[in-house]
Amino acid sequence: MNKRLVQAKLKTMLARYEKGGRGDHESKFNINRDKFVVEYKGRESVLPRKEFEILNLLYYNRGKVLNREQIKEEIWTKSDKHVNARTVDVHIKNIRELIGQRFIKTIKGVGYKFNEI
């Protein structure tokens, strides 16, 4: 799946949630894509771009496990040859430090998924 298609799907899903669907309002977890800010229970965290994109990808694919390679392909372009699958691990670690450990679950030998709140 290419990056533009994912972005279009995310935009559609976000519009659905903003109209009162399940998700952001019920969980009090909000991703502000304009400011690259994540809000949870009144606490705001600003994430660097790539980490924000990873969190956004995992959040809107809740219930689905994404492996490192899938995350890498969605977030980085083909021209980013220096990026390997372990780079994803470092970014996941940084995200957890900013927003807490409970939100992203490691599925050993498979990948990562966003924990339902």
Side-chain angles (χ1 to χ4, degrees):
M1 199 181 297
N2 73 30
K3 196 171 184 174
R4 288 183 191 178
L5 181 59
V6 170
Q7 288 173 335
K9 285 183 179 186
L10 290 175
K11 187 175 182 179
T12 302
M13 292 171 76
L14 182 61
R16 247 185 263 141
Y17 287 125
E18 288 174 348
K19 289 181 182 175
R22 84 168 235 250
D24 300 299
H25 303 293
E26 292 174 12
S27 67
K28 296 185 179 144
F29 188 92
N30 185 38
I31 296 179
N32 185 324
R33 293 172 37 167
D34 295 327
K35 296 180 182 178
F36 287 83
V37 171
V38 176
E39 299 170 29
Y40 178 68
K41 291 187 177 179
R43 184 174 148 228
E44 226 178 60
S45 298
V46 179
L47 286 90
R49 183 182 180 107
K50 293 298 182 190
E51 291 165 13
F52 182 85
E53 289 174 358
I54 291 169
L55 178 61
N56 198 43
L57 179 67
L58 291 171
Y59 182 74
Y60 286 103
N61 283 285
R62 288 180 298 239
K64 184 176 178 184
V65 179
L66 300 175
N67 66 41
R68 290 177 186 96
E69 202 58 40
Q70 288 172 310
I71 295 169
K72 184 181 120 181
E73 287 175 11
E74 293 297 331
I75 304 301
W76 284 274
T77 64
K78 300 277 186 213
S79 63
D80 292 327
K81 296 180 194 272
H82 64 281
V83 176
N84 64 46
R86 292 296 174 185
T87 301
V88 173
D89 296 342
V90 173
H91 286 290
I92 294 288
K93 179 182 137 299
N94 293 340
I95 294 167
R96 286 176 170 155
E97 287 175 2
L98 284 171
I99 67 167
Q101 299 291 318
R102 64 181 280 203
F103 295 106
I104 299 175
K105 182 174 183 172
T106 301
I107 309 300
K108 290 192 179 209
V110 182
Y112 300 101
K113 78 175 197 173
F114 189 87
N115 267 338
E116 289 292 332
I117 303 168

